[in-house]
């Protein structure tokens, strides 16, 4: 189920952005309907792309919480601060070597900018 907050005039939906993480570069487009189209290039030059339906909550004029699960089970949660140009991300993926839920997770910081 997707949650789109209409409390604020969205500064994210309907726009395009670039997110730079330490080992990757992403170009993203957020639609007004709550979908995201993404294209990522990693440090080795490999490119992947996709379309995801977001669970999205605009917390304030510049603070956004996003979550999605990709077809391969890779799960992403992000807190984007458009005024500071920052992204705090939590990534979770299947890992048969991991204990418990057979998943590995990590926090990653990035830089965010509209284009």
């Amino acid at each position: 189920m997707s949650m789109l907050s209409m409390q604020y005039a969205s500064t994210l939906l309907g726009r395009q952005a670039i997110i730079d993480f330490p080992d990757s570069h992403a170009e993203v487009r957020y639609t007004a309907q709550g979908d995201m189209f993404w294209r990522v290039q990693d440090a080795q030059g490999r490119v992947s792309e996709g379309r995801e339906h977001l669970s999205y909550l605009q917390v304030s004029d510049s603070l956004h919480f996003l979550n999605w699960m990709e077809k391969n089970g890779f799960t992403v949660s992000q807190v984007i601060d458009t005024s500071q140009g920052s992204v705090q991300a939590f990534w979770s993926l299947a890992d048969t070597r991991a204990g418990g839920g057979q998943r590995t997770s990590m926090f990653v910081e990035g830089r965010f900018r509209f284009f």
Side-chain angles (χ1 to χ4, degrees), residues 4-81:
L4 297 176
S5 173
M6 296 302 166
Q7 180 178 1
Y8 303 98
S10 180
T11 57
L12 187 66
L13 296 181
R15 309 242 349 235
Q16 296 180 52
I18 293 174
I19 302 174
D20 289 307
F21 290 111
D23 294 324
S24 63
H25 170 85
E27 296 177 6
V28 295
R29 181 170 57 94
Y30 307 99
T31 71
Q33 295 75 31
D35 291 325
M36 178 185 67
F37 295 89
W38 56 269
R39 182 181 185 277
V40 174
Q41 183 171 350
D42 68 17
Q44 290 74 39
R46 294 180 298 240
V47 174
S48 56
E49 56 190 351
R51 174 184 176 223
E52 312 302 335
H53 189 72
L54 300 172
S55 293
Y56 170 81
L57 177 66
Q58 186 167 352
V59 180
S60 70
D61 285 338
S62 64
L63 200 59
H64 309 265
F65 178 78
L66 294 78
N67 178 269
W68 67 90
M69 184 181 300
E70 298 177 6
K71 291 179 179 108
N72 64 4
F74 187 75
T75 303
V76 179
S77 295
Q78 293 180 341
V79 176
I80 298 174
D81 187 331

